[in-house]
Amino acid sequence: MPTTETAPSWVVLVPLKPLTVAKSRLDRPDRGALALAMALDTAGAVLDVGGGVVRLVVVTDDHRARRALTELAQSRSAVLAGAAVVGQSGRLLVAADEPGRGLNPALAHGAALARRIHPGCAVAAVSADLPALRPAELRQALAAAPPSGRGVLADAVGTGTVLLSAAPGSPLCPSFGPGSFQAHLDSGAVDLTARLADTVPGLRRDVDTVADLTAARALGLGPATARALAADPSPRSAA
């Protein structure tokens, strides 16, 4: 009897630095508040993708971020506790950065945790600074990910990585940092950029600088980032 392939269930990973050191290239006095706001908008968009995403794992040791993410979780369902987990609510889980050795170890830790909780899932690492991300864009990118191995999507500049996917049974092998897009290609990830191109502008628009923030603003910001800018409307962020 023929079998029909079904789409995998996804766990999405979002790493978040301590807010005191986040977004060092964003020339604004409120960059910590903006880093948190962008992470909340990213998390909200991921949670709104739908049933294909069974869990969002945010890896962070920042206490302020934990509280804000827990509030986001509470707006959806009750919070539970778990070993090595700061807060868990339905499809949102905030995990401590147990390695404490930077972005890539944090993502490797998150991927291992995801697969302990959801054996057989696919995993996707997504940047935390996507304030213009739309759920439909992430849904489209996950659908485009290869059914085996890994996939990578470049940022708007074309040198960084905004999404790295790993099919069920495939290791994530994150190599985020300067030149990460080419590093992921060199390690065998399939390029999703040409296929998705400009159909996912919010997903590809990460924010490191004031110019990036202006570009994201033109696409339409999420509610948390819009509120943060309204609270401190620095002229350097003007479009």
Side-chain angles (χ1 to χ4, degrees):
M1 184 175 179
T3 59
T4 302
E5 284 192 16
T6 58
S9 296
W10 287 91
V11 175
V12 175
L13 312 175
V14 174
L16 182 59
K17 289 181 180 179
L19 299 177
T20 54
V21 297
K23 295 296 142 197
S24 58
R25 293 167 54 199
L26 186 59
D27 186 19
R28 289 180 57 100
D30 59 344
R31 60 178 176 265
L34 281 172
L36 175 57
M38 291 189 291
L40 290 173
D41 283 333
T42 302
V46 173
L47 291 172
D48 288 342
V49 165
V53 174
V54 295
R55 184 82 64 170
L56 165 63
V57 177
V58 181
V59 182
T60 186
D61 276 340
D62 190 277
H63 295 287
R64 183 181 171 194
R66 290 176 183 176
R67 288 194 300 270
L69 287 160
T70 298
E71 290 173 4
L72 178 67
Q74 286 173 330
S75 72
R76 285 164 165 80
S77 61
V79 177
L80 307 174
V85 174
V86 177
Q88 180 176 338
S89 175
R91 291 184 299 119
L92 190 148
L93 179 154
V94 184
D97 182 3
E98 287 186 345
R101 297 195 305 270
L103 178 60
N104 291 310
L107 285 170
H109 166 60
L113 177 62
R115 283 177 165 158
R116 285 201 301 271
I117 297 170
H118 296 283
C121 70
V123 173
V126 174
S127 299
D129 55 353
L130 304 175
L133 176 62
R134 303 292 189 267
E137 295 177 351
L138 182 55
R139 191 180 306 119
Q140 181 181 353
L142 296 178
S148 61
R150 296 150 63 238
V152 60
L153 178 65
D155 60 11
V157 175
T159 58
T161 298
V162 290
L163 182 144
L164 177 68
S165 70
S170 298
L172 186 63
C173 300
S175 297
F176 285 83
S180 64
F181 177 60
Q182 188 61 50
H184 287 131
L185 291 179
D186 291 345
S187 66
V190 174
D191 184 6
L192 305 177
T193 313
R195 184 185 309 180
L196 295 170
D198 59 357
T199 64
V200 289
L203 177 56
R204 297 189 64 193
R205 181 69 278 167
D206 58 342
V207 172
D208 290 313
T209 66
V210 170
D212 295 339
L213 182 59
T214 299
R217 207 173 197 172
L219 294 173
L221 298 171
T225 307
R227 285 194 299 270
L229 287 176
D232 186 4
S234 167
R236 283 173 289 183
S237 70

